[in-house]
């Protein structure tokens, strides 16, 4: 596979992950989507559900990896790629390693909790028994724009609520 076709594939699957992020946002969740692809076929997908499920593990990557493992009937998701709109946190990076996913592709970097290179790199830690190929920045403007707009809107809602409470 040439680099150009890999780039085109990465963008295709990231676009799908962005549609899943939209589902999360429509439910009031932080807009993060993830898709697991094996042999150019979706085998698992997910989006953030932590708030609506009251589940701290309800991240998009966890949902997608669990669905993929069930689909192939194996807890090892060998030779697969996970596409996620936001850099995986430590929990999700750990799940990616434990699932033995071959490749992780993400859009927006997370400079507060990102564990695929921003604050640390669990995916490629040399003391772990599995290292994951990492590709960052795929459709980064779209992915980071979605997250930024969400939190900007949330801050505006909080500010408006404070103003309303102040004037009552």
């Amino acid at each position: 596979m040439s680099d150009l076709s890999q780039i085109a594939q990465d963008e295709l699957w990231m676009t799908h992950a962005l549609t899943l992020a939209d589902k999360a946002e429509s439910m009031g969740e932080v807009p993060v989507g993830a898709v697991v692809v094996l042999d150019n076929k979706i085998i698992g997908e997910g989006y953030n559900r932590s708030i609506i499920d009251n589940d701290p593990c309800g991240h998009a990557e966890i949902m997608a990896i669990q669905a993929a493992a069930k689909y192939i009937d194996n807890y090892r998701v060998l030779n697969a790629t996970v596409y996620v709109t936001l850099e995986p946190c430590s929990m999700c990076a750990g799940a990616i390693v434990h699932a033995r996913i071959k490749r992780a592709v993400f859009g927006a970097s997370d400079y507060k909790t990102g564990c695929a290179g921003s604050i640390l790199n669990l995916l490629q830690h040399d003391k772990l028994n599995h290292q994951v190929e990492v590709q960052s920045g795929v459709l980064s403007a779209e992915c980071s724009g979605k997250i930024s707009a969400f939190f900007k809107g949330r801050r505006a809602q909080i500010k408006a609520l404070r103003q309303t409470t102040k004037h009552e």
Side-chain angles (χ1 to χ4, degrees):
M1 180 180 304
S2 73
D3 287 338
L4 185 58
S5 64
Q6 184 64 66
I7 291 167
Q9 269 194 330
D10 288 351
E11 290 179 355
L12 171 77
W13 298 122
M14 189 62 71
T15 298
H16 184 72
L18 281 162
T19 66
L20 296 168
D22 290 338
K23 284 186 180 184
E25 186 170 23
S26 73
M27 298 184 312
E29 293 281 349
V30 177
V32 178
V35 60
V36 178
V37 175
L38 179 65
D39 297 329
N40 209 30
K41 178 181 177 185
I42 294 172
I43 62 168
E45 58 183 35
Y47 47 87
N48 275 7
R49 298 183 51 90
S50 295
I51 298 167
I52 62 172
D53 289 347
N54 295 309
D55 181 1
C57 298
H59 289 198
E61 301 95 306
I62 300 295
M63 301 294 128
I65 293 166
Q66 288 174 334
K70 281 188 172 105
Y71 181 85
I72 63 170
D73 199 25
N74 193 331
Y75 74 110
R76 300 286 192 226
V77 190
L78 304 173
N79 299 313
T81 299
V82 62
Y83 294 87
V84 60
T85 56
L86 182 64
E87 181 178 357
C89 69
S90 58
M91 174 182 67
C92 295
I96 291 166
V97 169
H98 284 293
R100 304 296 193 272
I101 289 175
K102 181 179 183 176
R103 197 165 166 259
V105 179
F106 68 90
S109 294
D110 185 342
Y111 299 108
K112 292 184 179 180
T113 64
C115 288
S118 287
I119 63 165
L120 59 104
N121 192 345
L122 278 179
L123 295 179
Q124 297 179 323
H125 198 287
D126 62 351
K127 299 225 186 225
L128 295 175
N129 62 345
H130 177 73
Q131 286 76 41
V132 180
E133 295 172 30
V134 176
Q135 177 64 55
S136 62
V138 174
L139 300 182
S140 62
E142 294 89 334
C143 293
S144 60
K146 186 174 293 297
I147 292 283
S148 295
F150 174 81
F151 283 112
K152 184 178 180 181
R154 184 163 281 178
R155 285 189 298 274
Q157 287 174 337
I158 292 168
K159 185 177 180 180
L161 184 62
R162 284 185 185 145
Q163 294 296 330
T164 304
T165 310
K166 222 182 218 183
H167 296 291
E168 289 181 354

